[in-house]
Amino acid sequence: MSAPHPSRTLERLRRRVLAPFFDRLGYDLVPAAPDWSHRPTSPREVELLLRFAAESLERDLASSGIATALDVHAATRQFWALIPTAPVRQRRGGSGFNGALQLYVAMRALAPATVIESGVFRGLTTWVIRQACPDATIHCHDPDLSNLHYRDPRAHYSTADWSTADWSRLDPAKTVAFFDDHVSQARRVVEARCLGLNRLLFDDDAAGHRIHAHGGPAHPTIAMIETLRDASRHAAAEPIRWQRNGRSFEQAIDDPLAREAAAGIAHAHAFEDLHRATGYSPARLTYVSVHPPVPTASGRAA
């Protein structure tokens, strides 16, 4: 499916009138074209891009401890053919090519029967999950579903937080939870562990020394949780501090929720951002495996 192009008249208006006006106000006015609408077309360059991306993803799956018989090179080629048909077109916010490719390959490798998606935005990641897992049951949770450009006809949608839903019939061993919801990732780990979910994917996992450059990921992120766990062993350790858009932020060292999440994480691996392989905007997907919940005296998981 070819991408629609703005008319020449509209493009001249944007360049000569609207863009300079918004530039004086401190804003950039750019066409809402997704990054994948720009791509190599010569066979050799396409082959190099796909090979480098697939090799990177193979390393990530191995480092994540995800055992799979998936042909990652074939899956990468399939995604390359699929992504131009995506029904969601976004330039800012949401996933770009690299993030969508990582999610597609991870879901193909994990092959869940059920997917819980917390944070839907325009619906691109739901579409990617459906392409990767055509038979899966998908539960989509987002407090505001008015931004949807794609609604999966077989998915279950809710504006309630995923943690408030009734998951009593859920099979944790066949479920993957994907979080892209700008909520504390420590909280999400703790919530998932209480339900017995042990296969989690997180978007926007920014490290403490890089979080200032990202547009609003909640903290602590998975990377920050691991940094805080190591830093808490040193008496002189300081909080993680940063500034963004004139505001100051701080993540405390002695965060009880971060400590609880750290105790629950069996293994975490941040995927390579793929920018070097593909040239597209860096992605920040992280796979987390979680320890089984600890039973309490009442027999319930804690």
Side-chain angles (χ1 to χ4, degrees), residues 40-57 59 73 76-77 80 97-98 101 274-280:
T41 55
S42 49
R44 182 185 63 181
E45 279 59 47
V46 172
E47 176 61 30
L48 286 173
L49 184 153
L50 297 178
R51 176 162 62 87
F52 292 155
E55 289 172 353
S56 176
L57 289 163
R59 292 191 295 270
H73 288 260
T76 302
R77 290 182 180 280
W80 180 255
F97 178 90
N98 286 338
L101 172 59
L274 284 181
H275 174 69
R276 190 171 183 179
T278 68
Y280 292 115

Side-chain angles (χ1 to χ4, degrees), residues 150-195:
Y150 168 78
R151 180 182 286 267
D152 186 280
R154 292 189 287 129
H156 305 278
Y157 288 85
S158 174
T159 56
D161 191 86
W162 87 281
S163 62
T164 66
D166 179 7
W167 302 112
S168 57
R169 298 183 180 181
L170 190 72
D171 184 348
K174 297 180 179 179
T175 302
V176 170
F178 171 55
F179 298 103
D180 184 12
D181 54 13
H182 301 267
V183 172
S184 162
Q185 294 181 356
R187 172 183 160 185
R188 293 317 197 194
V189 168
V190 170
E191 291 170 344
R193 189 186 185 197
C194 287
L195 289 170

Side-chain angles (χ1 to χ4, degrees), residues 4-273:
H5 297 282
S7 69
R8 292 184 178 180
T9 301
L10 185 60
E11 179 61 14
R12 283 198 295 268
L13 178 65
R14 183 188 72 84
R15 288 176 178 271
R16 298 178 182 179
V17 179
L18 297 177
F21 172 74
F22 279 96
D23 183 63
R24 288 193 294 271
L25 297 176
Y27 295 94
D28 291 327
L29 184 66
V30 294
D35 59 358
W36 59 79
S37 64
H38 313 292
R39 50 172 41 203
T41 55
S42 49
R44 182 185 63 181
E45 279 59 47
V46 172
E47 176 61 30
L48 286 173
L49 184 153
L50 297 178
R51 176 162 62 87
F52 292 155
E55 289 172 353
S56 176
L57 289 163
E58 285 178 327
R59 292 191 295 270
D60 284 321
L61 293 178
S63 297
S64 297
I66 299 173
T68 179
L70 177 70
D71 184 336
V72 177
H73 288 260
T76 302
R77 290 182 180 280
Q78 289 159 2
F79 178 83
W80 180 255
L82 276 172
I83 192 61
T85 71
V88 179
R89 306 185 59 77
Q90 55 195 26
R91 182 182 177 92
R92 297 182 184 275
S95 293
F97 178 90
N98 286 338
L101 172 59
Q102 288 179 340
L103 180 62
Y104 177 82
V105 170
M107 286 294 181
R108 287 281 305 272
L110 292 166
T114 302
V115 177
I116 299 171
E117 182 183 17
S118 181
V120 179
F121 195 34
R122 297 188 179 107
L124 176 64
T125 49
T126 309
W127 179 83
V128 170
I129 293 167
R130 177 59 71 204
Q131 306 313 303
C133 309
D135 299 321
T137 299
I138 304 176
H139 298 272
C140 301
H141 290 260
D142 197 295
D144 182 4
L145 295 172
S146 65
N147 294 309
L148 283 179
H149 292 186
Y150 168 78
R151 180 182 286 267
D152 186 280
R154 292 189 287 129
H156 305 278
Y157 288 85
S158 174
T159 56
D161 191 86
W162 87 281
S163 62
T164 66
D166 179 7
W167 302 112
S168 57
R169 298 183 180 181
L170 190 72
D171 184 348
K174 297 180 179 179
T175 302
V176 170
F178 171 55
F179 298 103
D180 184 12
D181 54 13
H182 301 267
V183 172
S184 162
Q185 294 181 356
R187 172 183 160 185
R188 293 317 197 194
V189 168
V190 170
E191 291 170 344
R193 189 186 185 197
C194 287
L195 289 170
L197 297 177
N198 65 353
R199 300 189 298 172
L200 315 178
L201 288 167
F202 287 89
D203 192 28
D204 291 327
D205 176 26
H209 67 283
R210 298 175 62 181
I211 195 170
H212 60 276
H214 301 295
H219 61 91
T221 61
I222 300 300
M224 294 169 77
I225 291 167
E226 297 197 303
T227 297
L228 293 170
R229 177 176 54 192
D230 297 336
S232 63
R233 300 169 186 164
H234 305 284
E238 293 187 359
I240 299 173
R241 302 186 181 96
W242 68 98
Q243 287 187 336
R244 181 171 176 83
N245 293 333
R247 296 177 58 196
S248 297
F249 298 86
E250 178 175 306
Q251 173 59 51
I253 288 287
D254 57 347
D255 183 341
L257 195 62
R259 287 202 304 270
E260 186 177 357
I265 294 175
H267 178 67
H269 173 71
F271 281 39
E272 296 178 32
D273 67 23

